[in-house]
Amino acid sequence: LDEDDFKRVNFFAGAGPMETTVRLLTLLEQAGSTMKSSTCRVLQPVFDEAARKRIAWAHKTAPSNSTGSEHRPLHYALFCAHVLRALSLFEVDQAIRKYREIRGLPKEWDILAMIDQNGCRMLAKKPLRGTMMGVAPVPGTEAYFLQQLLDETFKEVYTK
């Protein structure tokens, strides 16, 4: 392992085994149950506590990371909170504020949506109104004018 791979392995190992929890949730869903059902609801406090521990770990670990990667423990902790279905915790709100501060993200960005749609990548894609089934823009809409602008400013350059 090179130094970056070693850091990455230690980053995930330092927070504990999420694989067991993910496997448990997968088995519950395959059995047709959800965390909201009366039989599984007793597990939610356990998952909430696990999310709290991950966030505490992230707050403790983040300052010791190298410059530019201070956000990684918080990113992982927020992803874990999403997997554990514990996004409504107060600690998650605090972690989101800290994550936004460290990354310098605008207040308008919905971090919960970024976690919910694609937690491991922190990406939220909003549908663009004015497209026909996401394929072609409808004339007269914002999507149409944006596509027209892109088409008119595109310049093909051929190289050898």
Side-chain angles (χ1 to χ4, degrees), residues 94-129:
Q94 288 179 322
I96 286 172
R97 275 189 242 114
K98 182 77 172 172
Y99 185 83
R100 179 177 279 126
E101 176 188 320
I102 289 172
R103 297 291 285 174
L105 301 176
K107 291 185 179 190
E108 299 82 35
W109 286 19
D110 187 357
I111 306 295
L112 280 176
M114 292 167 66
I115 297 166
D116 196 34
Q117 286 184 21
N118 200 340
C120 60
R121 291 184 56 213
M122 294 294 281
L123 174 68
K125 294 183 179 182
K126 303 248 178 188
L128 182 60
R129 292 188 336 198

Side-chain angles (χ1 to χ4, degrees), residues 13-83:
M18 267 304 286
E19 298 81 15
T20 306
T21 306
V22 171
R23 183 69 183 137
L24 173 64
L25 288 168
T26 304
L27 288 171
L28 286 172
E29 288 169 2
Q30 287 174 349
S33 188
T34 65
M35 288 304 297
K36 293 179 181 173
S37 68
S38 59
T39 55
C40 297
R41 201 173 304 140
V42 296
L43 292 174
Q44 193 59 54
V46 175
F47 291 155
D48 288 350
E49 187 57 31
R52 283 186 184 99
K53 286 182 180 178
R54 299 235 184 253
I55 291 169
W57 167 84
H59 284 302
K60 183 178 72 175
T61 309
S64 64
N65 274 21
S66 61
T67 304
S69 66
E70 305 93 354
H71 70 281
R72 288 180 177 232
L74 280 171
H75 182 144
Y76 182 65
L78 289 170
F79 174 69
C80 290
H82 167 67
V83 170

